Amino acid sequence: MATKMIYFTVNGRPEQAEFREDCPAQDVKDLFRAAAEAGPHDILKLYNYKGNIINISPHLEPNSPQSCYKLEVVAADCNSEPLGAELAAVLGFDLSSMEKRQSLEKKILMESGETPSLVYEMKNQVESFREKLESVEHLSWLGLFKELSETTHKPSPFYHKRSLRKTREECEHVKEKFLQMRQDSLEVTEEVRQYLKTPTFDNWQWEDAEIMVLLQVMYTDLDFIAKFNIELEVLQQFLYEVYRRYNNIPFHNFKHCFCVTQMPFVNPNLMWFTFYFQMYGLIWLTDLRSKFDNIDLLTMMTSAVCHDLDHTGYNNAYQINARTELALRYNDISPLENHHCAVAFEILEKTENNIFRNLTTEQYKRIREGMIKCILATDMARHNEILNKFKSILPVFDFSNKDHKDVLMMIMIKVSDISNEARPMDVAEPWLDCLLQEFFNQSDMEKLEGLPVSPFMDRDKVTKPSSQTGFIRFVLFPPLKSCSVALVPQQHIIDPVRKALDYYTEMEKALEKEKLNRTQVEKAAKTKETDSDRQNESAAHSEPEKSANGSLPKPTGLSKLKSSVVPSLKQAKK
């Protein structure tokens, strides 16, 4: 098969790529991404010699070194902060020295065209530094050895630099650590167990291996192991496979899966519904087990664990507009949610992962049906449909009615999926930053591909407070209020959400005020510049006449101009 030779530049650096004409499109994009040293979520733009954007694909026209294409990286992560000198010092690196050596490397390459051994040594040190940063063991082990700090750890700044899929080395490292903790028989302390049952639980303090242990604790403490004859090794392998199939994306990742599992909310007490915000905690702190049987509880827990498996960071609207494989496979009907569900049962299909393998056929059939309903209910396009259905049955709700219980289970996982704002602000706000990062990545891609841009994802139009005030008022509050009754305590969920709304409302007002002040300052400066230009132009075009005694006349006109300018500037400042 014939090959193509493509010549292009990256940041002024000449490069060339060779690939077969039948090469997959993704391989060609990966080739250019590697040449640009771009992250998996960075967006590439390729220009021809005329300056027009062209598609990176196997159909690129071959060119010559005289008609190079131009490759640029856009929409890189703007939120990642530069690494501080203190962190570099702790890890034993002189950051400023390394930056100087990088500049030297570029200069040497441009002048000599050769790569000296010094450069290779420097590259190895930089790579070692990067790997060390991404695997800093800033957290201790569980139980008595775990200090429950009140401080919040920010989301990893390395999401945009990591591959979408977890690498084998990354997964094996986490699995080894997870199994080692269990083999060492480290017990989770009672303090941690109680903390896990509260809505104030801070997920940012826990590593992935530790989160897997906490998920195992939930299954064990709810007695699922004994009631459904789940072997511990099978549960551990299932949790590992779930971890492995969540991707390295800012929001819909393994930590989000844990938060949703730890987070739903209903406390059925006869006919009264109250929210308590975590599926695991409410099962213990309420009489939910007396209203749902164990099959239902296992279904809800496992649905929460699996509800966003293999999410790629692009929502259903993008999948449908871009005509992706998922949209085609599921006929534009909840493509992501159908995929999450399919991946869940793909994991469970393997005997070594199947925590349901000792159930009867009837029990498995019931769990599968329930999981499909719960996971598909997380599609926000169905939000009003499910909420209205729940409202209609609430006055006559009956736990012995299967349809009523099914709707309640869907409402439970839905609200838990969108209820980060019910957590303390120092836990919830970093999640919003992650979500906006994921949204902005999508809108950048939509603009690049000429697709309709989701308005609530456009980085040029959306701010943090504006995104939340509307969401809380019109999406989050309605289901919370419809499921809360005046005779039950609402402070566990309604009050935190209301505080979050107040917080973002004030932030929005502050941003608007700042924008107004900036506009006024710019207007005043523009007025001053315009008046100054007029003054200079008037002086340049007028020839001053001398008086009889040879002296220049007094600049009365200029004085008048000045007197008119000063008040206008004062007015503008006001």
Side-chain angles (χ1 to χ4, degrees):
M1 179 63 68
T3 61
K4 291 184 179 181
M5 184 67 72
I6 304 297
Y7 297 89
F8 60 99
T9 61
V10 182
N11 296 327
R13 182 181 75 252
E15 294 279 0
Q16 60 188 62
E18 183 178 5
F19 52 86
R20 301 192 315 274
E21 291 182 349
D22 63 342
C23 182
Q26 188 59 47
D27 290 353
V28 176
K29 291 181 180 179
D30 290 343
L31 187 65
F32 279 84
R33 191 176 297 279
E37 298 180 355
H41 301 301
D42 294 339
I43 296 175
L44 303 183
K45 283 186 179 180
L46 187 65
Y47 299 85
N48 60 17
Y49 70 97
K50 295 181 180 179
N52 299 324
I53 296 179
I54 56 178
N55 190 31
I56 300 176
S57 74
H59 304 298
L60 277 173
E61 291 294 332
N63 61 347
S64 65
Q66 289 73 35
S67 58
C68 282
Y69 296 129
K70 181 182 177 182
L71 183 66
E72 289 186 356
V73 181
V74 299
D77 182 14
C78 299
N79 295 326
S80 57
E81 301 173 354
L83 298 169
E86 293 184 5
L87 180 57
V90 169
L91 297 175
F93 290 93
D94 185 349
L95 207 56
S96 60
S97 175
M98 292 171 66
E99 290 173 348
K100 291 178 182 177
R101 292 178 67 180
Q102 278 187 317
S103 300
L104 177 63
E105 174 198 9
K106 292 180 180 178
K107 185 176 180 181
I108 292 173
L109 289 174
M110 293 178 64
E111 294 180 355
S112 67
E114 299 178 357
T115 305
S117 59
L118 178 66
V119 173
Y120 286 113
E121 179 188 348
M122 188 275 292
K123 282 185 175 181
N124 290 335
Q125 287 195 22
V126 171
E127 182 64 20
S128 173
F129 181 43
R130 182 187 65 79
E131 290 179 357
K132 204 165 188 178
L133 284 171
E134 295 188 20
S135 60
V136 170
E137 300 293 336
H138 63 280
L139 301 172
S140 59
W141 295 75
L142 288 171
L144 292 172
F145 306 96
K146 180 120 184 126
E147 184 175 341
L148 297 178
S149 170
E150 294 182 357
T151 60
T152 294
H153 300 279
K154 290 186 176 181
S156 167
F158 296 104
Y159 275 117
H160 72 294
K161 295 299 182 186
R162 300 165 69 185
S163 61
L164 176 66
R165 314 291 182 192
K166 292 185 174 75
T167 64
R168 177 178 298 181
E169 292 76 14
E170 182 181 0
C171 292
E172 290 299 325
H173 172 73
V174 172
K175 182 179 182 181
E176 181 181 353
K177 190 170 183 179
F178 169 49
L179 296 179
Q180 186 63 48
M181 283 190 280
R182 305 317 296 158
Q183 290 172 5
D184 291 345
S185 299
L186 286 176
E187 292 294 331
V188 178
T189 63
E190 186 60 27
E191 179 190 9
V192 173
R193 290 175 185 271
Q194 294 304 319
Y195 185 35
L196 189 60
K197 298 174 182 177
T198 66
T200 59
F201 188 89
D202 185 356
N203 62 275
W204 301 114
Q205 296 183 11
W206 306 83
E207 299 175 1
D208 287 341
E210 296 173 325
I211 286 176
M212 291 164 69
V213 172
L214 294 178
L215 288 171
Q216 180 178 319
V217 166
M218 294 181 195
Y219 275 83
T220 304
D221 285 0
L222 289 170
D223 209 21
F224 291 154
I225 305 295
K227 290 176 180 175
F228 298 105
N229 194 20
I230 301 175
E231 297 96 329
L232 193 58
E233 295 78 9
V234 176
L235 175 61
Q236 291 172 347
Q237 184 62 28
F238 167 74
L239 294 175
Y240 166 70
E241 285 298 321
V242 166
Y243 157 78
R244 191 175 69 83
R245 298 300 293 271
Y246 273 96
N247 293 320
N248 288 325
I249 54 178
F251 184 85
H252 294 96
N253 50 44
F254 184 60
K255 273 189 169 63
H256 170 68
C257 136
F258 169 76
C259 287
V260 174
T261 306
Q262 191 259 340
M263 188 82 167
F265 44 83
V266 169
N267 171 18
N269 181 12
L270 297 178
M271 288 308 299
W272 302 109
F273 294 81
T274 181
F275 282 75
Y276 204 77
F277 265 116
Q278 83 221 56
M279 190 169 287
Y280 173 71
L282 66 88
I283 291 173
W284 280 107
L285 298 173
T286 72
D287 63 346
L288 190 61
R289 287 184 296 173
S290 69
K291 302 300 180 182
F292 283 96
D293 60 28
N294 291 314
I295 289 286
D296 291 330
L297 298 180
L298 181 61
T299 298
M300 287 188 288
M301 285 284 292
T302 310
S303 297
V305 169
C306 299
H307 84 284
D308 269 332
L309 279 167
D310 199 34
H311 200 301
T312 58
Y314 299 93
N315 72 2
N316 281 334
Y318 175 86
Q319 305 291 334
I320 294 170
N321 291 330
R323 302 177 186 175
T324 64
E325 180 184 349
L326 291 183
L328 296 176
R329 180 184 303 163
Y330 297 111
N331 301 312
D332 294 351
I333 301 173
S334 303
L336 280 176
E337 289 71 27
N338 273 295
H339 180 61
H340 304 325
C341 207
V343 173
F345 285 99
E346 178 186 323
I347 292 173
L348 291 165
E349 191 64 23
K350 295 183 178 179
T351 305
E352 63 270 23
N353 308 330
N354 190 1
I355 57 176
F356 305 142
R357 68 184 188 182
N358 293 322
L359 272 59
T360 65
T361 302
E362 188 59 35
Q363 286 176 322
Y364 177 80
K365 181 180 178 181
R366 183 175 160 190
I367 286 183
R368 175 170 164 79
E369 177 189 349
M371 284 183 62
I372 292 173
K373 286 183 179 179
C374 285
I375 295 177
L376 293 185
T378 60
D379 183 358
M380 287 303 297
R382 300 184 59 200
H383 181 78
N384 289 332
E385 168 205 337
I386 296 173
L387 178 58
N388 290 335
K389 190 172 183 179
F390 182 61
K391 287 179 178 179
S392 68
I393 66 173
L394 190 58
V396 293
F397 190 90
D398 182 2
F399 276 98
S400 63
N401 186 315
K402 181 181 182 300
D403 291 337
H404 289 191
K405 288 173 65 175
D406 286 347
V407 177
L408 178 56
M409 290 168 65
M410 289 191 288
I411 281 286
M412 288 174 66
I413 195 168
K414 271 190 64 61
V415 179
S416 63
D417 190 26
I418 61 174
S419 300
N420 274 328
E421 295 308 329
R423 295 187 184 274
M425 187 57 64
D426 58 347
V427 179
E429 192 167 7
W431 274 118
L432 176 57
D433 294 332
C434 292
L435 182 62
L436 289 178
Q437 181 183 339
E438 199 169 289
F439 281 178
F440 293 160
N441 287 344
Q442 174 172 323
S443 66
D444 291 337
M445 183 65 76
E446 289 169 334
K447 292 175 184 178
L448 187 64
E449 296 181 354
L451 300 173
V453 178
S454 302
F456 59 91
M457 295 186 177
D458 193 339
R459 69 169 72 243
D460 298 323
K461 299 178 180 178
V462 174
T463 63
K464 180 190 290 190
S466 67
S467 70
Q468 284 306 93
T469 52
F471 174 79
I472 293 174
R473 283 194 183 101
F474 304 114
V475 179
L476 185 53
F477 258 146
L480 298 189
K481 290 180 178 178
S482 68
C483 297
S484 295
V485 180
L487 295 180
V488 295
Q490 299 183 19
Q491 67 271 19
H492 295 304
I493 176 171
I494 297 296
D495 288 353
V497 175
R498 186 173 285 115
K499 288 178 181 178
L501 178 59
D502 293 341
Y503 172 78
Y504 288 115
T505 299
E506 289 302 314
M507 184 187 294
E508 188 172 24
K509 290 179 181 177
L511 287 178
E512 288 296 328
K513 185 176 180 180
E514 181 185 351
K515 183 179 178 181
L516 180 62
N517 291 339
R518 187 165 57 246
T519 302
Q520 291 177 338
V521 170
E522 290 174 354
K523 184 178 179 180
K526 188 175 181 179
T527 302
K528 182 178 181 180
E529 182 181 356
T530 301
D531 289 342
S532 178
D533 290 343
R534 289 175 180 172
Q535 177 180 334
N536 293 336
E537 184 179 353
S538 175
H541 286 82
S542 61
E543 289 290 338
E545 297 180 358
K546 292 185 178 181
S547 61
N549 59 8
S551 61
L552 292 174
K554 293 182 180 180
T556 55
L558 183 60
S559 299
K560 292 180 180 178
L561 178 63
K562 183 177 179 182
S563 65
S564 65
V565 171
V566 172
S568 67
L569 288 178
K570 289 182 178 179
Q571 185 65 29
K573 289 181 181 178
K574 290 181 181 179

